[in-house]
Amino acid sequence: MEINLTEKNENKIVFVLKDTDHTFANTIRRVMISETPVLAIDEVNFYKNNSALYDEIIAHRLGLVPLKTDLKTYNLKEECSCKGEGCPKCQLNFTLNCTGPCTVYTKDLKSQDPKIKPVYDNMPIVKLLKDQQLEFEAVAKLGKGKEHVKFSPGLIFFRNYPEITIKKEANAAKCIKSCPKDLFEVKDKKLIIKDITKCDLCEACSEACPDSIEINGSTKNFIFEIESWGQLTPKEILEESLNVLDEKLDEFSKKIKSL
Ligand SMILES: [Zn+2]
């Protein structure tokens, strides 16, 4: 197996995973989406809310606010030494008290732990008119995407690595025009591919020029994209998913030995 990084920034990585199969790639993807824990608001106690939105709607919006997550400090509630009762090792509180006229933003949430705060300061929660007031206490905990999508760490997907064959007498002008991703160019009188990783296998080129181009998706090489919502870095998402998979396999192996 081989990993080649093709794109990396704060919230996104793209890499080519080589010499593996669809089952392995999809296992990693599913573990990342549904088993990698992140923090999210899970409970809200409203003390005052005479805004235009019901408590339930505001609570739902708060649940979807991405919170910077520290996996070293916090445990999953069900795995915590408090046995799920809730303690500073598995949950934290946010408070908010705003009086209108104003727009309440995520930056108005006051966190009990200075390390943990909303990823984005300027997400609107609700608009308050004159004399309207919103006051609540919210409890955030670690959770997994399989429990609720608010605990999902990002948008993660992969596609088959494109395999493009350009035949000898290719109609260059027609091929270049057919590709919506502008993938082809002519160099030294030959039709070439600029950046094959940009191809999303739409097959527009092979449909427009069946005599010039043949296109297939590889069954052992894949292009993986991890786009984080901001709670964890893309690398942390990948690393944590492998830890989770490791633990699951260890547990499975122990169970088998005890049979
Ligand atoms: Zn606890």
Side-chain angles (χ1 to χ4, degrees):
M1 199 184 297
E2 203 183 307
I3 292 185
N4 293 329
L5 199 65
T6 60
E7 193 184 323
K8 185 184 178 188
N9 59 44
E10 203 188 332
N11 283 329
K12 185 178 172 185
I13 55 172
V14 182
F15 59 87
V16 180
L17 189 63
K18 284 185 172 172
D19 290 328
T20 178
D21 59 22
H22 200 272
T23 314
F24 180 77
N26 199 35
T27 304
I28 302 274
R29 182 192 70 89
R30 291 188 62 142
V31 174
M32 278 194 266
I33 288 175
S34 58
E35 299 273 356
T36 307
V38 291
L39 283 167
I41 287 174
D42 197 49
E43 225 181 277
V44 188
N45 295 313
F46 287 92
Y47 301 126
K48 189 122 199 191
N49 175 23
N50 53 3
S51 74
L53 298 185
Y54 299 128
D55 294 359
E56 293 88 334
I57 299 175
I58 294 177
H60 180 248
R61 293 178 74 103
L62 290 169
L64 294 172
V65 171
L67 302 175
K68 198 84 205 122
T69 296
D70 172 12
L71 290 174
K72 289 194 182 84
T73 312
Y74 290 92
N75 305 319
L76 281 163
K77 222 169 167 178
E78 51 275 23
E79 290 171 11
C80 186
S81 53
C82 71
K83 297 195 174 84
E85 275 181 30
C87 69
K89 279 191 246 162
C90 62
Q91 65 180 38
L92 79 149
N93 288 9
F94 285 89
T95 50
L96 183 141
N97 188 358
C98 288
T99 307
C102 66
T103 301
V104 181
Y105 289 100
T106 40
K107 63 170 178 267
D108 299 313
L109 283 163
K110 302 272 174 291
S111 171
Q112 186 187 27
D113 177 350
K115 281 200 308 272
I116 311 293
K117 50 186 185 128
V119 176
Y120 304 102
D121 279 342
N122 54 357
M123 292 172 79
I125 296 168
V126 64
K127 263 188 181 174
L128 298 178
L129 300 176
K130 189 172 179 288
D131 296 332
Q132 287 185 338
Q133 196 189 349
L134 178 65
E135 188 185 358
F136 62 75
E137 193 174 353
V139 184
K141 64 160 198 168
L142 276 181
K144 294 180 172 185
K146 64 181 178 186
E147 182 188 332
H148 192 291
V149 75
K150 69 184 174 183
F151 295 117
S152 204
L155 185 67
I156 296 142
F157 57 95
F158 67 90
R159 59 184 192 276
N160 302 62
Y161 193 85
E163 285 173 343
I164 304 175
T165 316
I166 300 173
K167 292 173 193 165
K168 259 190 181 165
E169 291 87 26
N171 181 341
K174 203 172 170 190
C175 294
I176 291 172
K177 208 177 149 203
S178 69
C179 179
K181 294 270 174 148
D182 190 26
L183 213 69
F184 299 103
E185 68 177 352
V186 174
K187 210 171 184 184
D188 300 328
K189 293 185 185 166
K190 268 174 87 182
L191 187 65
I192 59 156
I193 303 159
K194 283 190 255 182
D195 179 2
I196 198 162
T197 59
K198 295 279 181 283
C199 173
D200 56 12
L201 292 169
C202 73
E203 299 187 6
C205 56
S206 63
E207 269 170 36
C209 325
D211 301 328
S212 309
I213 287 171
E214 198 185 306
I215 182 163
N216 287 302
S218 166
T219 51
K220 56 185 185 113
N221 302 330
F222 305 93
I223 299 174
F224 238 101
E225 299 204 14
I226 305 177
E227 208 177 318
S228 160
W229 303 139
Q231 301 101 319
L232 300 168
T233 65
K235 202 176 164 205
E236 281 174 323
I237 297 174
L238 186 57
E239 283 171 346
E240 186 55 27
S241 73
L242 297 178
N243 290 341
V244 172
L245 187 61
D246 226 21
E247 278 168 27
K248 279 185 184 294
L249 291 174
D250 277 350
E251 196 188 334
F252 189 52
S253 150
K254 261 186 218 153
K255 293 256 158 81
I256 287 185
K257 277 177 195 151
S258 69
L259 284 179

